[in-house]
């Protein structure tokens, strides 16, 4: 089953997405997501200039060999641009294989390990009261797990909180990076109050999550983990930047709050040490940025040996293609934890028809052969790329910090 054509489709229905479509001689095609928020055109060029020419004529059924060919063949290995490109190829090849077998992807992976996939929503408010209303709204929608983020008094712009009430949150909201100001002291004093308020109003049944978005030092993260212990979080996410995996050790030694990390990782080597040392509880690396199903299966299997579960990154900057493939993976993977759900704009959904469904706080996998997500190329062509950058953060004295 030879690959005879490949198209890199860049479209912006509500936000930017890069999609790879691989077409085989039998007419069966596969779709992969290659979106890297704020750096989309780097992946599009990598695919167009370096990957697509090498794919034409290759046997689409040789998924493992193609993964190794693209990974080892680049010589340089790893990195978010390379791995997102490989992720897209891999996702498209699994889509083709499952379509050729006449099976939904989860069947090819090994079949169902569960009937439905628990998902968490984002509840954000400009202040605690506002955030409580958002939690109430999401509980009403059926969610059993919510990520809670609120504005912090004295900090003007905060991660996760939309600029204006009722608006969707989109961090890549300006052509060049917007500058935000960060205060660790104000943040650390405020977060425990937020969780106290949520538990007081909603009790202890609801799963609560929180994303620190890489902003603390290990000892500050340890302090936050301890401070929120009475509120029994499902996880505390990205509490430190994790280039230095060992920083997780110190946090782990101080707190029983479960830790999740890995949305910016792209290789099994980025997370190996923290998994093997059991410094974390959930691994977040998504299919797109993590080199697709082929590498994520290895990461999940490694994690399963150390009681670490999956918690795939799933913001709107990963397309419905990534989400659809992730739901198949989640349905199969034995050590599943939770799936992030930040609903896409209806315009995005109209360009990417899909068969997954949300019901009662869970995703239900579809039965269409493949991963169940397509792209309407005619519709995609109506929304040209718009450059958008993620913000940068500075401390109050002007020092550049982690965003
Ligand atoms: O969804 C999350 O947990 C995120 O941290 C979202 C990131 O800010 C987003 O993917 C950046 O592009
Ligand atoms: Mg995050």
């Amino acid at each position: 089953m030879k690959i005879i054509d490949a198209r890199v489709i860049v479209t912006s229905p509500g936000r930017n997405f890069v999609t790879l479509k691989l077409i085989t001689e039998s007419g069966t095609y596969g779709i992969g997501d290659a979106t890297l928020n704020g750096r989309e055109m780097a992946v599009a060029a990598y695919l167009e200039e370096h990957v697509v020419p090498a794919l034409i004529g290759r046997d689409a059924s040789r998924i493992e060999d193609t993964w190794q060919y693209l990974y080892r063949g680049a010589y340089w290995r790893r990195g978010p641009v390379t791995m997102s490109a490989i992720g897209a190829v891999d996702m498209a090849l699994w889509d083709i294989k499952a379509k050729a077998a006449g099976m939904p992807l989860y069947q090819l992976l090994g079949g169902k390990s569960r009937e439905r996939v628990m998902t968490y929503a984002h509840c954000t408010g400009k202040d605690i009261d506002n955030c409580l209303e958002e939690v109430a709204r999401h509980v009403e929608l059926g969610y059993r797990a919510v990520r809670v983020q609120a504005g912090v008094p004295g900090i003007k712009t905060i991660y996760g909180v939309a600029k204006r009430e009722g608006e969707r949150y989109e961090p890549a909201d300006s052509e060049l990076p917007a500058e935000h100001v960060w205060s660790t002291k104000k943040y650390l004093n405020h977060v425990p109050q937020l969780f106290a308020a949520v538990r007081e109003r909603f009790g202890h049944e609801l799963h609560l999550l929180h994303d620190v978005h890489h902003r603390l030092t290990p000892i500050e993260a340890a302090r936050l983990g301890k401070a929120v212990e009475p509120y029994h979080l499902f996880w505390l996410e990205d509490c430190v930047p994790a280039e230095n995996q060992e920083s997780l050790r110190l946090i782990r030694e101080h707190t029983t709050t479960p830790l999740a990390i890995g949305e910016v990782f792209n290789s099994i080597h980025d997370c190996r040490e923290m998994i093997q040392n059991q410094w974390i509880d959930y691994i977040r690396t998504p299919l797109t940025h993590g080199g697709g199903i082929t590498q994520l299966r290895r990461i999940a299997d490694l994690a399963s040996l150390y009681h670490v579960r999956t918690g795939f990154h799933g913001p709107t900057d990963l397309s419905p293609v990534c989400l659809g493939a992730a739901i198949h993976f989640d349905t199969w993977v034995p050590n599943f934890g939770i799936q992030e759900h930040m609903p896409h704009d209806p315009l995005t959904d109209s360009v990417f028809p899909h068969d997954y469904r949300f019901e009662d706080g869970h995703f239900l996998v579809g039965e269409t052969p493949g991963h169940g997500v397509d792209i309407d190329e005619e519709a995609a062509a109506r929304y040209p790329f718009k450059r958008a950058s993620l913000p940068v953060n500075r401390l109050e004295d002007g020092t550049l910090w982690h965003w």
Side-chain angles (χ1 to χ4, degrees), residues 120 147 159 211-214 237-238 263 284 313 340:
Y120 71 90
R147 190 188 86 166
Y159 166 75
D211 190 350
V212 182
H213 221 261
H214 325 270
E237 177 189 338
D238 284 341
E263 69 180 43
R284 302 252 306 129
H313 192 209
E340 184 175 6

Side-chain angles (χ1 to χ4, degrees), residues 243-257:
E243 286 97 329
N244 176 359
Q245 296 190 31
E246 206 168 345
S247 41
L248 272 297
R249 177 209 295 272
L250 183 137
I251 307 164
R252 189 62 147 186
E253 282 169 355
H254 282 84
T255 180
T256 55
T257 294

Side-chain angles (χ1 to χ4, degrees), residues 199 207-212 221 224-226 228-239 248 251-252 254-261 278-284 307-309:
R199 282 293 181 222
H207 291 306
L208 301 181
L209 299 82
H210 182 71
D211 190 350
V212 182
L224 179 61
K226 277 177 84 139
V228 296
E229 272 172 23
Y231 313 116
H232 302 134
L233 267 59
F234 186 93
W235 79 34
L236 188 65
E237 177 189 338
D238 284 341
C239 53
L248 272 297
I251 307 164
R252 189 62 147 186
H254 282 84
T255 180
T256 55
T257 294
L259 303 172
I261 207 155
Q278 301 182 60
W279 292 330
I280 58 168
D281 300 278
Y282 297 94
I283 186 73
R284 302 252 306 129
H307 307 280
V308 176
R309 294 189 281 158

